[in-house]
Amino acid sequence: MTRVQRMRRMTAMDSPEWHARVECAGQVVGAGFLVTPRLVLTCAHVVHEGPADALAVTFTERPGSAPVPARIVAEGGWAGGVTDLGDLAVLELEREVGIAPAALAPVDAAHGRQPRKLVVYGFPVGFDEGTLAEYRITAPQLLNREWMQLEAWQPDGQPLAPGFSGAAVTLVDTGEVVGMVTAAAGDQGVRNGRMMPTEVMARHWPGLAGLVPTSDHRSADRARLRDLVERAVRTGLDCDPVRLARLYRAAAGPFDPDPPQEGFDSLRAAALFVLCEIDGEDAAGTVARFADQVEALFRTPVHTSAVPRWAPILVELQHSGAGDGQVRVEVSAYSGGRRHPVASGTVPRAGLPDRVRDLIEAAFPCLTAGDDELIAFALPRDWIDLPVDRWASAPDDDTPLGCVYPVVVTDQARRRAGARHQLTRAWNRLDTVPGARLHRVECGGAEEPRRLRVRLRQADACLAGFAAAPASARTRPHFDTSLTAPAPVVVWSRGGCDGGPDEPCAGGDGCAGKTFLDELDACVSVVPPAELPRRILQLREEADSEDGHWARDIQLLWDDPRVFTDPHGGTAAHARSPVSPLE
């Protein structure tokens, strides 16, 4: 038996908790069913038999649960007669009940080439705990554009009777709802009745329209997705709106609609969008891919922090023609979609940390209040290991800069337009991945640099992690390759593995580089690439307070061109703009 078959069998055998018994002043008046965490649907005639302020709902499949007070919040326009249209009422519960709502079926699911068995769960006299009746659709035809006729599956089966009104009519094999019982035949011995199908219910209450899936999805795919979503919600794996949009974009086909501008407020809402708004030839593929994304949440815990709105301060350091003791410095701030030059000039190497610290402070007034500051150093490749994160953060505070702000570096050569174009394409793809997948460059690895280039240019590549520092002769060719591939993110420890050229390290147990990569993988695999600077900040804070911490000398090369809104890329802004001199 396949997993889907087991799930469908379990769905058919279980008694869903969303079945509701509607009560008024302590008396059973009918049935209903939960369609959102707080809304129950029933017939209007059920709730008009008593005072509106005495309504309550009991979920009988949760034995011992107390009735939940409810109030009428919408109706279908029913005028009070047996044959009047719009016999629908929406009840709002006093609180959410923590029960998975009913799953609705596509509008054409109640009938097919062969009659489909339908099950109704009602509360007739003598069955306050509920009882089942088996029915089918007489014909796929609407009566008065409002009802479908139900007839008993077996001639001696349970007849519809008072107490079934408002009950969900469900498919026996999937448990999905196709409609609601509104009336019985009325004559003794006649075992038929009427059902208001979901598309008519949605006409009377538009809030239901977004809960009815299209008919282009297979029932097994719908069941799998709903099962995964409910498991995720029960285990606390629901996601924030930004993450939900990423999950959807990762699953959506090229012709599927964009996610709503306001985003998804829950995993259920995202799943309903997939089921209800996507149709066409690839609809089943989108559902399957989205289900795969949800299933991946169980393997990769959700990182729930909000995605930063990075407002970078860019510090560009270059070799100066004035001699080895001088450094060319240019500082800019990015805000409101523009680059704001702050200062440029030449600084003695010995005073570089203090001068850069002062210029970073001078750049902060250019940032938009509330955005997430990011300190980015664009360095020549032979300075890429410069410990800029360890520079003091203030004249009177020796706390490392990288323990106060997110600090990243990038290769000055990657500021060229061609590299920016490639990186932008890579980062657009990375927006859809839930975690930073690490490609390990081990001490004892035999991977050729050319093979590494191919690997880092594949669609799922994100982060290259190095066991040894870039200065190592064994690592340098691989490191250069990762920069020119270009890899969007590169991480290493400036300490690195201490295995020398005479005694190369095999990368086994006890290797500092292997330990670094193991710890790094555990820390970043659940972090979206856009959030890595903030995660590395947390690691640096931990390392600063703990002797021997594996992340003390961590260096993060993180380069998202979309954060640096240069009109033409490169470093030409200071040459064209009036700025304050350094001296």
Side-chain angles (χ1 to χ4, degrees):
M1 183 181 294
T2 67
R3 178 180 180 275
V4 170
Q5 288 171 329
R6 290 195 302 271
M7 185 167 59
R8 291 180 65 181
R9 179 180 176 185
M10 181 178 64
T11 301
M13 294 174 63
D14 286 352
S15 296
E17 295 182 331
W18 48 257
H19 286 297
R21 185 176 69 201
V22 181
E23 303 158 9
C24 186
Q27 301 297 314
V28 178
V29 292
F33 55 101
L34 192 72
V35 291
T36 77
R38 282 190 69 178
L39 296 181
V40 170
L41 297 188
T42 188
C43 291
H45 78 258
V46 166
V47 294
H48 277 272
E49 294 184 359
D53 59 356
L55 290 172
V57 170
T58 298
F59 296 92
T60 58
E61 291 306 306
R62 281 195 168 180
S65 61
V68 182
R71 64 187 182 98
I72 302 171
V73 293
E75 294 186 280
W78 180 64
V82 175
T83 59
D84 288 334
L85 309 181
D87 190 3
L88 172 73
V90 183
L91 307 183
E92 183 183 59
L93 303 177
E94 183 180 64
R95 64 180 186 279
E96 291 190 9
V97 290
I99 293 174
L104 306 187
V107 296
D108 57 354
H111 46 78
R113 293 183 180 179
Q114 298 294 327
R116 301 197 67 177
K117 182 183 289 189
L118 308 174
V119 175
V120 182
Y121 190 122
F123 304 91
V125 175
F127 293 94
D128 285 355
E129 76 284 2
T131 190
L132 301 175
E134 296 180 336
Y135 276 77
R136 61 186 170 196
I137 298 297
T138 302
Q141 176 182 343
L142 282 177
L143 305 174
N144 201 21
R145 300 185 65 247
E146 183 81 357
W147 307 286
M148 283 184 170
Q149 182 169 302
L150 296 171
E151 61 181 32
W153 185 262
Q154 298 289 347
D156 57 349
Q158 167 69 45
L160 296 179
F164 277 100
S165 293
V169 181
T170 63
L171 296 167
V172 71
D173 55 348
T174 68
E176 295 173 306
V177 176
V178 295
M180 179 180 72
V181 174
T182 57
D187 293 335
Q188 188 173 5
V190 179
R191 298 177 184 272
N192 62 19
R194 288 180 176 177
M195 172 188 85
M196 183 186 293
T198 52
E199 69 266 32
V200 176
M201 297 169 69
R203 187 203 313 153
H204 292 306
W205 179 51
L208 194 68
L211 306 177
V212 180
T214 69
S215 57
D216 294 302
H217 308 303
R218 296 184 294 264
S219 59
D221 293 336
R222 296 195 304 271
R224 177 188 175 224
L225 176 56
R226 284 166 172 150
D227 176 69
L228 287 169
V229 167
E230 295 309 325
R231 282 178 53 207
V233 172
R234 286 195 305 270
T235 54
L237 289 180
D238 216 335
C239 307
D240 61 76
V242 174
R243 175 63 58 78
L244 290 171
R246 286 177 178 164
L247 293 181
Y248 171 74
R249 289 192 181 98
F255 302 109
D256 289 336
D258 292 331
Q261 187 172 2
E262 68 276 12
F264 304 112
D265 60 5
S266 68
L267 191 55
R268 283 196 186 110
L272 284 171
F273 185 88
V274 171
L275 292 173
C276 304
E277 300 296 332
I278 295 178
D279 53 16
E281 294 182 359
D282 193 39
T286 301
V287 171
R289 290 190 295 271
F290 189 77
D292 290 341
Q293 292 289 322
V294 177
E295 192 167 34
L297 295 178
F298 296 98
R299 300 190 298 270
T300 303
V302 178
H303 185 65
T304 58
S305 61
V307 173
R309 293 180 56 186
W310 292 123
I313 295 172
L314 179 64
V315 181
E316 300 179 77
L317 306 182
Q318 300 182 34
H319 294 283
S320 170
D324 293 340
Q326 302 291 316
V327 179
R328 178 72 180 174
V329 180
E330 297 181 351
V331 178
S332 305
Y334 290 79
S335 178
R338 296 179 57 193
R339 181 178 184 180
H340 305 274
V342 175
S344 65
T346 302
V347 177
R349 180 78 182 259
L352 183 62
D354 290 344
R355 190 63 182 135
V356 166
R357 178 196 62 220
D358 294 342
L359 293 176
I360 289 174
E361 190 66 27
F364 270 96
C366 299
L367 302 184
T368 301
D371 284 354
D372 295 273
E373 68 276 1
L374 175 74
I375 313 299
F377 286 81
L379 305 172
R381 191 165 299 181
D382 58 338
W383 289 357
I384 204 69
D385 217 21
L386 201 65
V388 291
D389 61 288
R390 302 298 301 176
W391 292 355
S393 59
D396 56 352
D397 184 0
D398 62 357
T399 301
L401 188 68
C403 295
V404 178
Y405 308 112
V407 174
V408 303
V409 302
T410 189
D411 179 21
Q412 192 69 257
R414 289 172 32 137
R415 305 285 295 162
R416 294 192 297 263
R420 309 315 280 168
H421 181 81
Q422 289 180 296
L423 284 167
T424 299
R425 186 171 63 242
W427 276 98
N428 287 338
R429 171 180 50 78
L430 292 181
D431 281 342
T432 67
V433 303
R437 182 174 180 178
L438 174 68
H439 180 77
R440 302 167 65 109
V441 182
E442 308 271 7
C443 288
E447 185 176 29
E448 291 290 333
R450 289 175 298 178
R451 290 184 178 274
L452 177 62
R453 174 182 295 277
V454 172
R455 180 67 190 86
L456 293 177
R457 293 177 71 90
Q458 292 180 1
D460 62 342
C462 173
L463 189 160
F466 283 78
S472 167
R474 293 174 289 110
T475 302
R476 192 73 203 196
H478 299 81
F479 187 81
D480 289 344
T481 295
S482 72
L483 295 186
T484 58
V489 184
V490 186
V491 182
W492 66 96
S493 171
R494 291 186 297 269
C497 174
D498 57 2
D502 297 332
E503 297 181 4
C505 176
D509 292 340
C511 169
K514 179 180 184 302
T515 299
F516 175 82
L517 292 181
D518 290 344
E519 297 284 358
L520 178 67
D521 198 6
C523 285
V524 304
S525 62
V526 297
V527 180
E531 301 177 35
L532 282 172
R534 190 155 60 189
R535 181 67 182 109
I536 298 301
L537 166 62
Q538 295 168 347
L539 290 173
R540 284 171 173 155
E541 289 179 302
E542 294 174 12
D544 193 55
S545 62
E546 180 181 331
D547 292 339
H549 194 284
W550 66 271
R552 178 174 177 80
D553 294 316
I554 194 169
Q555 193 87 325
L556 171 64
L557 189 149
W558 183 94
D559 197 0
D560 183 351
R562 302 169 304 177
V563 172
F564 303 94
T565 50
D566 300 45
H568 304 292
T571 59
H574 289 282
R576 300 189 302 271
S577 307
V579 297
S580 302
L582 291 178
E583 301 296 340

